[in-house]
Amino acid sequence: MEINLLILFLALLADRTFGDPDGLWRKIPHPVVLFGKAIELADKQLNKASDSDDERRRDGFLAMLGLLVLAAFIGFLVHLALQTIQPFGGLIEALIVAVFLAQKSLGEHVERVAIALREEGIVGARRAVSMIVGRDPEVLDDAAVSRAAIESLAENTSDGIIAPAFWYALLGLPGLFAYKMLNTADSMIGHLNDRYRDFGRFAAKFDDVANWIPARLTGLLISAAAWVVHGHDAALRSFNVMMRDARLHRSPNAGWPEAAMAGAIEVALAGPRVYGGVIANEPMLNGAGRRDAGAENIEDALNIFSVTTGIFTAAILALFLLGLFL
């Protein structure tokens, strides 16, 4: 496991510094795009409207199981191949892991929302936030755009960075590939609509299980980052809001990093929102916090995010060094 921690540390540094090579992905498909195509194929072949609910649940379970085994097996083969070209194999593996992380790209996408609010107004901000959230942007005002960007930043700190890093540290490339396949499947078929309520049931449930530890770890890291950025009181407030409000969120996991972030920057998050023309009435996280959020709050959240990932990276290095002496 020690070598995984070293490779993960290098991957986190590479992703934080360089981010995604967009030019490369314009020439060849990103691995997650390939995962998505595999999920689309399974959906097309196995998710039949003529099947009963039980049959669709069964086929969804078998499809998800097959996709996870396939992803893990590919990860195992890639790792095995890299073992034959050491020491370069470890460096290549670090670059592969970095491809599945999202520190720089997530920060840049959220930062664009703040810049758009300042320079282009609500029209540009809605366009920028539509790239990172699924809710209807046309019904969002400045405050709602800001809250949506902050919520996306907090949730994706877990889904896009901490969770894939956690599963790589634990299970290597097989764990990382399987997690990204699962997380992609949840975003594509883990919906409570007529088509996916049964077929995507297990994708959603498995994703909840896979993110249970990373989401709570992310919340703790955000509270620690609040201490670094704003001091003891902010850290305590972040932790208390997380412990009090996280379970109010409709997701069993997203509420932990979102509530921690809400407390850290003293902004109320979540609450009623519109998806596909349907209003989802949900309680506020940190309801006593500021509701008229703006670009300055997004920037504050980005500072917390940067320190959060920095603390996590330092912790990975510390665990690696600790392992050398145990």
Side-chain angles (χ1 to χ4, degrees):
M1 185 174 178
E2 286 82 7
I3 189 64
N4 282 4
L5 291 173
L6 177 58
I7 289 173
L8 177 57
F9 171 70
L10 295 174
L12 287 162
L13 286 183
D15 177 55
R16 187 183 185 97
T17 305
F18 303 109
D20 263 342
D22 292 332
L24 177 63
W25 306 133
R26 282 193 287 267
K27 296 175 182 176
I28 62 173
H30 191 285
V32 172
V33 173
L34 297 178
F35 289 172
K37 290 187 180 300
I39 295 161
E40 283 179 357
L41 180 62
D43 180 25
K44 182 178 179 181
Q45 295 297 320
L46 298 174
N47 189 11
K48 305 295 185 183
S50 58
D51 288 346
S52 68
D53 293 349
D54 287 342
E55 288 172 327
R56 293 175 91 170
R57 277 194 292 271
R58 178 203 64 200
D59 290 343
F61 171 79
L62 293 175
M64 202 63 251
L65 188 62
L67 289 166
L68 291 177
V69 170
L70 174 64
F73 183 62
I74 292 172
F76 172 74
L77 291 180
V78 172
H79 175 71
L80 209 61
L82 293 174
Q83 290 295 99
T84 66
I85 55 171
Q86 295 295 4
F88 302 106
L91 294 175
I92 295 171
E93 184 160 326
L95 292 175
I96 292 172
V97 174
V99 163
F100 289 94
L101 303 175
Q103 292 174 97
K104 190 173 177 64
S105 61
L106 175 59
E108 288 175 345
H109 275 93
V110 174
E111 185 180 27
R112 287 186 194 121
V113 180
I115 292 171
L117 275 170
R118 292 190 184 283
E119 298 181 0
E120 302 175 46
I122 188 61
V123 174
R126 285 170 176 166
R127 183 171 58 250
V129 84
S130 71
M131 304 299 293
I132 56 174
V133 301
R135 67 196 71 173
D136 295 344
E138 295 307 313
V139 301
L140 303 179
D141 58 14
D142 287 19
V145 164
S146 300
R147 291 196 304 270
I150 295 166
E151 290 161 19
S152 179
L153 178 66
E155 181 179 1
N156 283 296
T157 301
S158 177
D159 289 0
I161 302 162
I162 308 301
F166 173 83
W167 286 106
Y168 176 77
L170 204 62
L171 298 173
L173 285 182
L176 174 63
F177 282 24
Y179 172 77
K180 292 304 291 187
M181 177 70 83
L182 175 60
N183 194 240
T184 305
D186 178 58
S187 68
M188 293 177 64
I189 65 174
H191 305 297
L192 291 175
N193 55 31
D194 290 341
R195 179 168 179 80
Y196 294 122
R197 181 174 290 105
D198 296 301
F199 185 77
R201 175 183 175 84
F202 288 100
K205 295 298 183 183
F206 290 166
D207 188 70
D208 286 345
V209 172
N211 283 295
W212 197 92
I213 293 175
R216 287 149 182 80
L217 174 59
T218 304
L220 291 174
L221 288 167
I222 289 172
S223 294
W227 192 322
V228 175
V229 177
H230 292 305
H232 170 270
D233 289 348
L236 190 61
R237 182 176 58 248
S238 173
F239 180 79
N240 288 339
V241 170
M242 177 180 69
M243 296 305 295
R244 185 192 69 209
D245 291 353
R247 294 175 183 85
L248 298 176
H249 201 286
R250 63 193 173 108
S251 164
N253 295 318
W256 293 84
E258 287 187 26
M261 184 66 82
I265 64 173
E266 298 187 80
V267 166
L269 297 178
R273 61 194 76 184
V274 180
Y275 294 96
V278 178
I279 297 176
N281 285 305
E282 298 175 12
M284 302 293 290
L285 306 179
N286 191 33
R290 177 180 175 182
R291 301 196 181 194
D292 58 336
E296 68 278 9
N297 300 110
I298 299 175
E299 291 160 353
D300 192 9
L302 283 167
N303 287 335
I304 298 286
F305 163 74
S306 180
V307 175
T308 297
T309 55
I311 292 172
F312 180 67
T313 303
I316 294 298
L317 177 60
L319 287 172
F320 167 70
L321 294 174
L322 185 63
L324 292 180
F325 297 102
L326 292 181

